[in-house]
Amino acid sequence: MDDVTKQILFDKFEILSCVKQDESTGVYIARHIYLGKNIFLKTLDQDKIADEAVLKRFKREAKVLARLDHPNIIKVFDFGTHGHFFYISFEYFESSDLRKIMQQGSLTDERKTDILIHILKGLDYSHQNKIVHRDLKPENILIDTKGQVKIADFGLAQGVNESRLTNKSSIVGTPGYMSPEQILGEKLTSQSDLFSLGVIAYELFVGKNPFLGSDVGATINNILTFDESRIPASLANTPAPWNEIIVGLLKRSKKERIGSAGEILKRLGKKESQAAEPIKVEKTKGWKFKAAAVFALAAVILVIFISRPRHTSEIANIEKPLQQIPDTSAVDSTSKNILLQTSVGVKMAEKPSGNLPEKLIPSPPQGNITAKKNPNIPGKLFVRCSPWAEIFIDSVKIDTTPLSDTLRVAAGLRQLILKHPDYPAYIRKIVIEPMRTKVVTVNLDTLFGFLNCKIYPWGEIFIDGKTQGQSPFPRPICLEPGRHLIKVKNPQYQEVVEYIQINRRDTTEYELDFE
């Protein structure tokens, strides 16, 4: 991708300019052909990365941002894979980062307060959605010429209930803005982001980072050993109530810090960010004109989606409105072979790779009364699945979400299976009616529970007789809610067998010290 002039990437992005590029990653300003708007495009060449953690962070950023919709948080349009590349497309936000703006030295106290309020609103919304940023710093705060502020770069973000992907010897984040618990490798909460915000606010009003040392080691030591009693004196010239707020944020113990971004907003007389706040726009006179414009835009979108080439992303989390699903012509289908109609023609559904678990083998399809009266008329199926999943109908793989078209499926009683490598299979019986659309919406994150295994020194884990591999694991094991039998083996010790209870949407900590 050295020559980016008028280059089309991944069948839908026209590259306008390159922001930065190295051996494995690239950031571009591009035009999204189907959306008809400029976007930021981040790419990662999976064949050229030496550390698998880079890919995990890249995917995590896409997954996290797809869940967040707030005017003070950069928004993801779509993401997925194309060949050996993983990509994320973001809203285009012509801006400069807070670091560069601070270096200009032209910010008034009023403007500093306004910037911090926008950051607080974005953080409050993120924290309400159980997402901790983990790398808040001036470089990740974007500001445009109109004063609009957006938090960016959620590559290190993590759900508050997620297990850490790093061990205590590993530090993620930027040292000068990290909380003490982040340096020590402890569990992070929203208070960890608030400590980072306190450093940013201190730097805005005082003009320097309070912990910056001669090198990384000195900076980390300053954060772990600083004298809290000296902070108020250094804020003597900081306007109220920011002097008190910053003191409350820069507490070494997270339990002593200000409780939430929403609490700070209340102190400042601002509303908490309970939901995404709409960006104000100028009102346009003439409702008839606006209605006509909306219908015209809808027609253009429909034409684009019908005529565009088919491309299936491996990983994505963007739900397509049903209004954008083009109608497709009916095709003949039998109970043994399920055909799907795409914009470029009819193709036979692919057989799943490998053998399905025994419980996934469906019983013979049973047609309902309507189907028996109209045996040759198929129905339609549209599946939304977060984060993404392979779709199987009666054990036959037919597509992968996100879908851009409805799937044509033979009428009758069918078994729907959604498969994602990080979750148990989602299995459900559905009835497909002739000439009708069946819509299924599934959020895998809300259906299962998680098991976080901490085994010392290590152990081979079996759950319900099935091997899960050898600890330590990069992430918690996802399991169906209920009682499970866990067996832990280490040839140097006696094996341990016991029952564990997994609750939906909860993470169960399982600790075992063989010694």
Side-chain angles (χ1 to χ4, degrees), residues 300-333:
V300 171
I301 293 175
L302 184 61
V303 170
I304 290 174
F305 272 91
I306 291 176
S307 60
R308 73 181 180 88
R310 176 80 172 180
H311 172 66
T312 302
S313 297
E314 176 191 353
I315 297 179
N317 195 19
I318 308 300
E319 294 186 354
K320 306 291 190 302
L322 288 180
Q323 289 82 351
Q324 294 183 3
I325 305 171
D327 190 17
T328 52
S329 58
V331 296
D332 291 335
S333 185

Side-chain angles (χ1 to χ4, degrees), residues 209-225:
N209 186 306
F211 306 117
L212 198 60
S214 58
D215 55 30
V216 173
T219 299
I220 290 175
N221 184 66
N222 290 341
I223 294 174
L224 294 177
T225 62

Side-chain angles (χ1 to χ4, degrees), residues 216-478:
V216 173
T219 299
I220 290 175
N221 184 66
N222 290 341
I223 294 174
L224 294 177
T225 62
F226 75 96
D227 186 351
E228 294 180 13
S229 64
R230 295 186 178 183
I231 297 293
S234 62
L235 295 168
N237 296 323
T238 300
W242 282 110
N243 47 5
E244 295 180 357
I245 291 174
I246 294 173
V247 170
L249 292 173
L250 296 182
K251 293 290 185 180
R252 200 161 32 242
S253 171
K254 60 184 177 183
K255 293 181 180 179
E256 297 178 8
R257 286 176 214 147
I258 295 176
S260 67
E263 182 180 333
I264 301 174
L265 289 170
K266 286 181 179 179
R267 289 194 192 186
L268 297 170
K270 302 295 180 180
K271 293 181 179 180
E272 294 179 80
S273 188
Q274 299 292 347
E277 299 177 9
I279 300 174
K280 294 181 179 179
V281 296
E282 295 182 4
K283 294 182 178 180
T284 304
K285 296 181 179 180
W287 67 270
K288 293 183 178 179
F289 172 79
K290 290 190 287 184
V294 170
F295 281 118
L297 178 61
V300 171
I301 293 175
L302 184 61
V303 170
I304 290 174
F305 272 91
I306 291 176
S307 60
R308 73 181 180 88
R310 176 80 172 180
H311 172 66
T312 302
S313 297
E314 176 191 353
I315 297 179
N317 195 19
I318 308 300
E319 294 186 354
K320 306 291 190 302
L322 288 180
Q323 289 82 351
Q324 294 183 3
I325 305 171
D327 190 17
T328 52
S329 58
V331 296
D332 291 335
S333 185
T334 68
S335 60
K336 293 182 179 180
N337 295 323
I338 302 171
L339 305 181
L340 64 111
Q341 176 78 30
T342 69
S343 55
V344 294
V346 181
K347 64 179 181 181
M348 183 67 71
E350 300 174 5
K351 289 286 184 182
S353 57
N355 295 323
L356 292 173
E358 189 171 307
K359 68 175 183 178
L360 298 185
I361 300 174
S363 57
Q366 302 170 7
N368 58 19
I369 296 175
T370 309
K372 290 179 180 178
K373 292 181 179 179
N374 304 276
N376 296 321
I377 302 178
K380 299 178 184 179
L381 173 65
F382 189 75
V383 179
R384 291 190 181 101
C385 184
S386 173
W388 64 273
E390 295 178 324
I391 303 172
F392 293 81
I393 301 293
D394 297 340
S395 301
V396 179
K397 180 182 176 182
I398 60 175
D399 213 322
T400 302
T401 64
L403 299 176
S404 57
D405 302 319
T406 51
L407 304 176
R408 295 282 176 167
V409 179
L413 181 63
R414 302 293 172 194
Q415 185 177 55
L416 170 67
I417 303 171
L418 302 179
K419 295 184 66 179
H420 185 289
D422 295 337
Y423 301 85
Y426 173 85
I427 307 172
R428 171 180 169 184
K429 292 287 187 180
I430 58 173
V431 175
I432 301 297
E433 299 185 43
M435 302 181 67
R436 293 200 175 189
T437 300
K438 176 74 174 180
V439 179
V440 177
T441 301
V442 177
N443 185 343
L444 296 176
D445 285 325
T446 66
L447 299 179
F448 305 105
F450 299 88
L451 178 66
N452 187 28
C453 296
K454 298 178 181 178
I455 313 297
Y456 182 82
W458 62 271
E460 186 177 2
I461 312 295
F462 296 82
I463 296 179
D464 299 331
K466 297 180 181 179
T467 180
Q468 303 294 323
Q470 182 177 303
S471 68
F473 298 116
R475 56 182 173 270
I477 302 169
C478 185

Side-chain angles (χ1 to χ4, degrees), residues 1-2 4 7-13 15 20-28 41-49 55 58-59 62 78-89 311-316:
M1 294 193 298
D2 296 329
V4 300
Q7 183 178 359
I8 304 296
L9 284 186
F10 315 143
D11 298 332
K12 58 182 176 180
F13 303 114
I15 303 302
K20 61 181 179 180
Q21 188 179 40
D22 56 30
E23 183 179 2
S24 61
T25 64
V27 179
Y28 309 93
L41 178 67
K42 290 179 69 172
T43 66
L44 177 66
D45 189 338
Q46 301 180 64
D47 288 349
K48 295 182 179 179
I49 56 174
L55 178 59
F58 207 90
K59 291 182 177 181
D78 70 352
F79 56 96
T81 58
H82 192 281
H84 51 87
F85 283 93
F86 191 97
Y87 67 85
I88 315 175
S89 68
H311 172 66
T312 302
S313 297
E314 176 191 353
I315 297 179

